[in-house]
């Protein structure tokens, strides 16, 4: 699946952070993997990791030279979302602006649908 199907957005700010982290790891093949797990105070939690590999059922989204991948199970909950990066009083973190979430926890790291 490609980003043209429904889509997710990796913001310029998030892409810049991923680019910097990839450079720090010295591995240009790393991709940002965004996924959903059960748990958290609202039912589901967002997860982020680096991955060199892509599964054949992964959805792929790019921002210039940065690639974000999402597995098919997680994508059904993330379709239409925007992945951003922020630095603030609560620290620095990737955040998901998810139009499918009916409620979120106070810190924004978990949600329900």
């Amino acid at each position: 699946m490609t980003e043209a199907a429904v889509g997710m957005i990796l913001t310029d700010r998030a892409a810049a952070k991923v680019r910097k982290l990839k450079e720090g790891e010295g591995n240009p093949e790393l991709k940002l993997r965004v996924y959903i797990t059960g748990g958290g105070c609202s039912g589901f939690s967002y997860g982020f990791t680096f991955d060199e590999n892509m599964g054949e059922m992964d959805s792929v989204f790019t921002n210039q030279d940065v690639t974000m991948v999402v597995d098919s199970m997680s994508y059904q909950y993330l379709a239409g979302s925007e992945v951003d990066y922020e630095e603030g009083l609560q620290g620095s973190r990737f955040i998901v602006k998810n139009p499918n979430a009916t409620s979120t926890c106070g810190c924004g790291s978990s949600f329900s649908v």
Side-chain angles (χ1 to χ4, degrees):
M1 187 179 295
T2 65
E3 61 186 296
V6 170
M8 284 181 66
I9 296 170
L10 180 66
T11 67
D12 291 344
R13 193 170 33 216
K17 182 61 176 180
V18 171
R19 192 174 297 111
K20 185 175 180 181
L21 292 169
K22 283 177 21 176
E23 289 170 3
E25 291 291 320
N27 185 349
E29 298 303 314
L30 291 176
K31 299 155 189 56
L32 178 66
R33 180 170 292 281
V34 181
Y35 60 94
I36 300 297
T37 59
C41 48
S42 294
F44 294 101
S45 292
Y46 301 111
F48 304 93
T49 190
F50 279 116
D51 198 340
E52 291 181 330
N53 303 309
M54 290 189 311
E56 59 184 67
M57 298 299 290
D58 284 345
S59 295
V60 179
F61 309 94
T62 58
N63 180 325
Q64 298 178 19
D65 61 333
V66 175
T67 301
M68 175 175 67
V69 295
V70 181
D71 66 87
S72 60
M73 193 279 297
S74 297
Y75 185 73
Q76 64 186 328
Y77 298 105
L78 291 170
S81 295
E82 177 182 279
V83 176
D84 199 4
Y85 180 79
E86 68 178 21
E87 294 180 1
L89 295 175
Q90 296 181 357
S92 58
R93 62 190 177 137
F94 288 102
I95 57 170
V96 178
K97 296 174 186 167
N98 187 344
N100 306 302
T102 57
S103 65
T104 60
C105 68
C107 67
S109 63
S110 70
F111 70 101
S112 62
V113 288

